[in-house]
Amino acid sequence: MSQDKSEEIIGIWRLTLVRVCLLLAVVAVLWKLASLILLERDFLQGQGDARTVRTEPLVAHRGMITDRNGEPLAISTPVKSIWVNPRQIADKPAEITRLADALSLDAESLISSVQSNAGREFMYVERRMPPADADAVLGLDIDGVYARQEYQRYYPQAEVTAHALGFSNIDDIGQEGLELAYDEWLKGIPGSKQVVKDRRGKIVRELDTLESAQPGNSLALSLDFQLQNLAYRELKEAYIYRQARSASAVVLKAGTGEVLAMVNQPSFNPHNRSNISDFGALRNRAITDLFEPGSTLKTFTAIAAIESGRYTPGTMINTSPGRMRVGRDWVSDRGQDFGEISLEEMLVNSSNVASAKIALDLGHEALRDVLLRVGFGENPASGFPGERAGVMPNHRVWHDIEVATLSFGYGMSTSALQLAQAYSVIANDGLKVPVTFLKNGNEMDGAAAPQRVIDEDVVAQVTGMLKAVVDPEQGGGDSAAVPFYSIAGKTGTARVVGANGYDSRLHNSMFAGFIPADDPEIVVVIVINEPQGREQYGGQVAAPVFARIAAGAMRLMDVTPDRVSPENVMTLTAR
């Protein structure tokens, strides 16, 4: 075979081999393509979706809190939070610096934080920004920087309702007060949606809502924001003027047990808690703080006396010479000798000697039984976090001095709310009604029914005596008087326990009462802790605050005056 012929055959074989290889390559590509389409389609589709389809949360806003008239006390407003994907931005310190400058953050600190989380895909940078400010940051068009819709709690009344409502944290979870107590009711249920994102993480298209967000439930409180404002203003004025350590005021609606107002001093701004130096300001003192009620407890000593059948309002008690020895101790009437006085005058003059003599005559069982029946020593069960039951003594062996001092409010402790509930028993003709922070809370299913704990006839006699306490025509004081309205109440002053026993220089000043006396609408308790200055007695310090709150409440509630005489009818008409 010639050389040319051999070379021609070799060329043909080479060409054929190339063609076969190309054909095999095409077949292999087609086979792989077919395999991907037919055999691995679901896997590949899933991998593609994993890189483009994302599940995004749908934030649910917290339920609104309103007062009894529908006025908003706590609402959730939309805000935006800036977050970054550290994987996208960790190696771009210049971009992080731009972001830090836009948010007024320390650039070095932010760079360090992002780089230390470089393996993560999500990190908050700034929470709860006004939407316009957040949009301005997004307008910088920095890769890896995004915004998320959130909600922020706003309290229109701010520090006026701070102690009652409490507050929620940055994740909108209740932390204090009624926000905490009803957190499960108020908080919403988040939802989710599927979206398609581009390689820069921006949402290109929304695919589907997987689960709709469910907003929280609204909560209607028993509070009246107008009364709350009134009580707050008057209490704060007295707190500042008296340079007191703290102060509390509680207003209950007679008959229903609803809390119409509850305020404390010092208070705080729930929108700016970072500047609070005294964390005691966060405490709802009207519920959590305990004190010895002093002479406000003599009202219940009088109830025990009348219940025994041994006393009437006119029964005389000899208090001369203004003090009495009890064991190794002394009980005195603050240097005064009231002589022989009636049971009613015991309350009007606030005689410790007369009160002690009654208690020693009755024994501790009778007095302690009355106190327990009206709610002292037990939790008010209002549902408010941190409420305390107070301390009711139960000695194995009762000494005479312990019985005597208990009769005028020493040796036990209570809260302002508990004291208000006890006086509401008298205002409610002897019925003990549960305390509630909810509008019509005691009419709801499962609510405890009122209990009769004192006979109506006994209540009527004690109410008459309490009216005399604040009636100057019957020997009482006029500092708690409210023009054109009858009132019933009792002052109280108690020494404060210091490191070495009772400090004669420090007192707690109190007043507890209800208005109108014969058909009560509200029960009011005022507690001023450690007022400074020469005036420290309850009638001087707390009673005037009661008068101003009670007078304002009667106007706001449009209660018809019940003490309009011919002499003042022209004055009332002019008003």
Side-chain angles (χ1 to χ4, degrees):
M1 185 181 297
S2 66
Q3 184 177 355
D4 293 339
K5 189 68 172 176
S6 298
E7 290 178 355
E8 183 180 353
I9 293 172
I10 292 171
I12 292 172
W13 277 102
R14 285 177 177 173
L15 182 60
T16 301
L17 180 60
V18 170
R19 289 174 176 172
V20 170
C21 290
L22 289 174
L23 179 61
L24 290 175
V26 171
V27 170
V29 171
L30 292 175
W31 175 261
K32 184 62 177 177
L33 183 61
S35 174
L36 293 175
I37 294 174
L38 300 176
L39 302 179
E40 300 183 53
R41 177 175 182 176
D42 293 341
F43 172 77
L44 294 174
Q45 184 67 50
Q47 291 297 306
D49 289 347
R51 287 163 174 78
T52 58
V53 178
R54 291 287 188 271
T55 299
E56 288 287 300
L58 292 174
V59 183
H61 67 79
R62 196 169 176 83
M64 181 169 62
I65 300 178
T66 67
D67 82 336
R68 63 187 304 106
N69 300 311
E71 293 290 336
L73 301 179
I75 57 178
S76 293
T77 58
V79 291
K80 287 185 177 180
S81 293
I82 296 296
W83 64 278
V84 299
N85 183 338
R87 288 186 177 181
Q88 292 180 261
I89 198 173
D91 59 349
K92 302 174 182 177
E95 296 291 75
I96 299 176
T97 300
R98 288 179 62 208
L99 176 62
D101 291 342
L103 295 173
S104 299
L105 301 176
D106 181 71
E108 291 186 5
S109 177
L110 184 57
I111 291 172
S112 175
S113 180
V114 172
Q115 290 180 343
S116 64
N117 289 278
R120 298 171 55 190
E121 293 187 348
F122 183 93
M123 188 186 88
Y124 276 121
V125 176
E126 188 73 16
R127 300 289 298 273
R128 295 183 170 184
M129 295 179 63
D133 294 347
D135 291 341
V137 173
L138 294 178
L140 298 175
D141 200 27
I142 301 174
D143 284 346
V145 178
Y146 311 99
R148 172 174 287 184
Q149 170 85 38
E150 290 190 303
Y151 289 93
Q152 181 175 4
R153 210 61 163 158
Y154 175 66
Y155 302 96
Q157 299 297 317
E159 62 184 47
V160 175
T161 56
H163 287 117
L165 298 185
F167 52 85
S168 59
N169 64 10
I170 198 167
D171 294 313
D172 228 11
I173 299 173
Q175 298 295 293
E176 293 286 347
L178 297 174
E179 288 275 27
L180 173 59
Y182 294 97
D183 184 61
E184 288 297 322
W185 177 262
L186 290 167
K187 71 180 182 182
I189 301 176
S192 60
K193 63 180 180 180
Q194 277 191 330
V195 298
V196 176
K197 291 186 175 182
D198 62 16
R199 65 181 182 82
R200 300 174 64 184
K202 294 184 178 180
I203 296 176
V204 176
R205 180 163 55 97
E206 293 189 5
L207 297 178
D208 188 24
T209 298
L210 300 178
E211 189 174 359
S212 298
Q214 300 180 32
N217 300 293
S218 295
L219 184 67
L221 300 182
S222 59
L223 296 178
D224 184 315
F225 94 98
Q226 289 183 302
L227 278 179
Q228 183 82 4
N229 270 283
L230 169 68
Y232 181 85
R233 182 179 67 249
E234 297 297 346
L235 187 72
K236 185 174 183 177
E237 181 179 335
Y239 164 76
I240 294 173
Y241 177 71
R242 300 293 179 179
Q243 299 179 25
R245 181 175 63 84
S246 58
S248 299
V250 176
V251 181
L252 295 183
K253 184 173 175 60
T256 68
E258 295 171 285
V259 179
L260 296 179
M262 178 177 286
V263 293
N264 300 277
Q265 286 296 325
S267 189
F268 67 96
N269 185 346
H271 301 127
N272 184 18
R273 302 189 299 276
S274 59
N275 294 328
I276 297 175
S277 57
D278 178 14
F279 287 99
L282 299 176
R283 198 166 64 241
N284 188 345
R285 298 175 185 273
I287 283 180
T288 64
D289 284 19
L290 302 179
F291 55 89
E292 290 179 307
S295 294
T296 58
L297 211 72
K298 289 173 183 170
T299 299
F300 305 98
T301 300
I303 290 176
I306 294 175
E307 283 187 341
S308 72
R310 304 179 199 175
Y311 295 84
T312 67
T315 301
M316 305 304 290
I317 306 155
N318 187 5
T319 67
S320 292
R323 64 175 186 162
M324 62 181 288
R325 190 178 186 92
V326 182
R328 293 180 297 177
D329 300 288
W330 289 88
V331 172
S332 72
D333 280 335
R334 305 172 301 282
Q336 300 181 74
D337 182 0
F338 297 118
E340 193 170 10
I341 59 175
S342 66
L343 178 62
E344 179 176 293
E345 290 172 322
M346 181 270 286
L347 289 181
V348 172
N349 296 315
S350 200
S351 171
N352 293 338
V353 173
S355 178
K357 283 192 171 184
I358 293 170
L360 292 172
D361 179 37
L362 299 178
H364 74 273
E365 296 93 343
L367 178 56
R368 190 170 180 275
D369 177 58
V370 170
L371 297 178
L372 290 173
R373 274 187 275 146
V374 298
F376 291 112
E378 68 176 28
N379 196 304
S382 68
F384 198 96
E387 64 181 359
R388 299 175 66 185
V391 177
M392 175 61 62
N394 187 20
H395 308 294
R396 288 201 304 171
V397 177
W398 283 78
H399 298 96
D400 285 349
I401 190 61
E402 293 166 339
V403 179
T405 55
L406 181 62
S407 73
F408 49 86
Y410 284 87
M412 65 161 291
S413 63
T414 185
S415 68
L417 177 62
Q418 212 171 35
L419 186 59
Q421 184 183 35
Y423 269 80
S424 75
V425 172
I426 304 172
N428 296 333
D429 291 329
L431 291 176
K432 181 183 176 186
V433 180
V435 174
T436 179
F437 281 91
L438 301 181
K439 180 181 179 181
N440 301 323
N442 285 323
E443 297 178 12
M444 298 178 179
D445 293 340
Q451 296 177 302
R452 174 157 298 284
V453 295
I454 301 175
D455 186 76
E456 289 182 76
D457 180 62
V458 174
V459 169
Q461 294 181 66
V462 171
T463 298
M465 291 191 286
L466 291 177
K467 290 167 66 175
V469 170
V470 290
D471 188 349
E473 295 181 3
Q474 299 185 60
D478 62 355
S479 56
V482 177
F484 314 116
Y485 292 91
S486 63
I487 64 172
K490 183 71 186 77
T491 59
T493 309
R495 289 182 178 179
V496 177
V497 178
N500 299 311
Y502 288 102
D503 190 333
S504 61
R505 299 167 300 174
L506 298 177
H507 298 79
N508 290 332
S509 306
M510 295 150 277
F511 188 91
F514 46 90
I515 180 174
D518 296 323
D519 187 15
E521 288 285 341
I522 58 173
V523 177
V524 183
V525 165
I526 308 296
V527 181
I528 311 291
N529 295 307
E530 300 179 23
Q532 303 301 304
R534 299 180 62 182
E535 295 182 330
Q536 294 190 335
Y537 289 111
Q540 299 170 319
V541 177
V545 183
F546 166 89
R548 292 193 293 270
I549 292 176
M554 293 300 96
R555 290 193 297 270
L556 292 172
M557 299 174 71
D558 197 22
V559 178
T560 302
D562 66 339
R563 289 189 65 181
V564 181
S565 61
E567 308 86 70
N568 60 30
V569 68
M570 294 302 295
T571 304
L572 178 63
T573 304
R575 292 179 63 190

